[in-house]
Amino acid sequence: MLIMDRDAPATISLFAGLEPQASDALLGLIGLFRADTRSGKIDLGVGIYRDRAGATPVMRAVKEAEVKLLAEQTSKAYLGPEGDALSTDLLARIVFGENLAASDRLTGIQTPGGTGALRLGAELVRRARPDATVWIGHPTWPNHAPIFREAGLAVLTHRFFESQTGSLDFDGMMADLAAARAGDVLLLHGCCHNPTGASFTAAQWDEIAALCATRGLLPFIDLAYQGLGDGLEQDADATRLLLERLPNALVAYSCDKNFGLYRDRVGALWGLGESAAITTLMHGNMLSLARSLWSMPPDHGAAIVRIILQSPDLRTDWRAELEQMRTRINALRGALAAAHPALAPIAHQRGMFAMLSITRAAVIALRETHGIYMAGNGRINIAGLRLDTIPTFIAGLTPHLPIV
Ligand code: LMR
């Protein structure tokens, strides 16, 4: 738009064409909850782990590693676009197991959180196959589609979940994916699906691997909750299966939840190539894309992860605390499922989240009348509950639940 003023030179308004943007509804809940002065308010909004006291403490091993880092770090000089390579390598062994992690077909670099890994992977796909469509199940984490769209890729959704029954619509998903073309990307949650908590069975993962193999689809696995579902090893089973069976894959990893390093932004992107030569090509492109996106990832959190994974004692303590977190979430799942028949599927789902089959109006009513905060689509962060707040939660929720 050209703004003319008789006394001033012509000015081009560079930003007038921008569309107004709604603020992020999920992150907005943090501020709304904080501003609520009611004493019995319950925060089931953004996905952070909470302990029995409702706190999100720094994990013990993280605190100890931070003390060690403070004493031992002698330089803040740049590390390079790959970040802390040893940290990423030690993480790879947890994600993929020793054998796969050592394969010359696998390469990874540190990223700013899982979101950075998703964006870097999206940019890599766009560079390699600009016409690829990314297939995303509905519902999914609200940031998924924007990350891929902003990288310039087309996004289509496929069926995934039946909110009425709280179960997977696997047949619907496979039917929708019949329209995917060779070279398209299939975005998958490796475990602890956000927002539904619904996971594929081992037999369904087999079918997904077969679909990707026969149709030439690239699985892009988002693994943000390893250790918070069925256990550290079990939560990586699906990822390992896909990488063992397929020529190519991408894995975006987040240490936000399982190391509690949310604001330190620690993640990694791994790529699997069909040969060592292709993997080297992928690695070089990851580095050059990272250089143009953020140049180098933040170091502090990745250094903490490295120190923990290098020390047998800290590693054992981290695993023990993570296991306590997982056990607490699953105990809450059991208690919720037992509290109302409409919530029964929650017992068999995994991870921090569940989707309630309630309307947006009910979500607002629960917030305004009872001080119960959740995402607008009915997603609840189960870790935000306590055994003693479940009755209050159920009392407020029951009028809005379907009769079972
Ligand atoms: C969530 O799903 O609540 C978290 O992963 C926070 C986010 O970035 O959306």
Side-chain angles (χ1 to χ4, degrees):
M1 187 200 299
L2 208 57
I3 298 173
M4 300 296 287
D5 181 318
R6 234 176 301 159
D7 303 322
T11 312
I12 295 172
S13 176
L14 292 172
F15 299 111
L18 290 176
E19 298 284 334
Q21 302 290 318
S23 52
D24 188 286
L26 184 61
L27 300 185
L29 286 177
I30 299 172
L32 285 180
F33 183 79
R34 209 174 278 151
D36 190 332
T37 52
R38 287 172 286 186
S39 59
K41 61 185 180 174
I42 300 177
D43 183 6
L44 309 180
V46 77
I48 49 171
Y49 177 78
R50 291 184 192 283
D51 65 12
R52 277 190 188 84
T56 306
V58 179
M59 291 178 84
R60 292 183 304 258
V62 168
K63 264 285 176 224
E64 278 199 46
E66 284 185 315
V67 171
K68 226 165 168 278
L69 181 67
L70 187 66
E72 290 174 4
Q73 193 171 54
T74 53
S75 173
K76 297 272 186 195
Y78 292 129
L79 284 180
E82 69 272 44
D84 188 325
L86 180 54
S87 182
T88 308
D89 184 43
L90 292 167
L91 261 183
R93 297 181 207 181
I94 285 175
V95 181
F96 304 105
E98 296 288 336
N99 288 344
L100 194 51
S103 165
D104 60 5
R105 285 181 50 217
L106 188 73
T107 187
I109 70 170
Q110 188 205 322
T111 57
T115 302
L118 286 163
R119 180 60 188 257
L120 182 63
E123 297 283 345
L124 188 68
V125 169
R126 199 175 86 99
R127 205 177 246 190
R129 301 191 67 91
D131 295 334
T133 293
V134 182
W135 291 83
I136 300 185
H138 177 77
T140 192
W141 181 48
N143 219 15
H144 267 153
I147 288 169
F148 288 95
R149 284 206 192 100
E150 292 294 338
L153 290 166
V155 171
L156 284 176
T157 54
H158 64 75
R159 279 170 281 176
F160 172 73
F161 188 69
E162 283 276 355
S163 62
Q164 292 298 318
T165 56
S167 54
L168 282 177
D169 182 4
F170 192 69
D171 292 343
M173 168 174 164
M174 292 312 238
D176 290 349
L177 288 173
R181 296 164 310 162
D184 280 357
V185 176
L186 178 57
L187 184 70
L188 296 158
H189 298 237
C191 66
C192 302
H193 185 272
N194 175 6
T196 66
S199 312
F200 299 118
T201 61
Q204 288 168 337
W205 279 114
D206 274 339
E207 278 192 56
I208 292 169
L211 176 86
C212 291
T214 53
R215 304 289 306 285
L217 306 183
L218 174 79
F220 193 158
I221 304 159
D222 185 357
L223 192 58
Y225 301 90
Q226 190 188 2
L228 289 166
D230 290 311
L232 205 57
E233 289 289 313
Q234 295 90 323
D235 291 346
D237 280 350
T239 301
R240 293 179 190 181
L241 173 116
L242 290 176
L243 269 72
E244 275 155 14
R245 301 234 180 121
L246 295 168
N248 297 125
L250 290 173
V251 180
Y253 194 83
S254 170
C255 297
D256 287 13
K257 327 278 167 168
N258 59 2
F259 283 85
L261 284 167
Y262 309 87
R263 67 175 74 161
D264 285 328
R265 314 307 301 137
V266 194
L269 176 75
W270 285 283
L272 181 78
E274 64 268 42
S275 65
I278 294 292
T279 302
T280 303
L281 207 53
M282 290 170 81
H283 185 76
N285 277 274
M286 283 182 192
L287 292 181
S288 87
L289 287 165
R291 181 80 170 118
S292 67
L293 286 166
W294 46 74
S295 190
M296 301 168 210
D299 176 62
H300 181 82
I304 298 305
V305 168
R306 172 176 44 75
I307 291 170
I308 292 173
L309 296 181
Q310 274 177 315
S311 150
D313 287 351
L314 291 183
R315 191 187 176 103
T316 303
D317 192 47
W318 166 65
R319 286 191 68 146
E321 194 170 354
L322 179 60
E323 185 59 17
Q324 277 167 13
M325 291 157 64
R326 188 183 80 79
T327 310
R328 180 179 130 70
I329 292 172
N330 286 340
L332 286 166
R333 284 190 166 279
L336 260 183
H340 193 287
L343 304 180
I346 290 178
H348 312 295
Q349 297 163 351
R350 284 291 173 267
M352 280 175 34
F353 304 110
M355 277 285 278
L356 304 176
S357 180
I358 62 174
T359 61
R360 253 165 219 275
V363 170
I364 294 167
L366 283 165
R367 185 162 79 221
E368 289 179 351
T369 317
H370 299 283
I372 297 172
Y373 288 73
M374 66 184 72
N377 60 2
R379 185 194 83 167
I380 55 168
N381 171 17
I382 289 176
L385 285 165
R386 300 193 313 250
L387 289 178
D388 63 323
T389 57
I390 287 182
T392 313
F393 174 59
I394 295 293
L397 181 65
T398 299
H400 304 288
L401 285 174
I403 315 262
V404 182

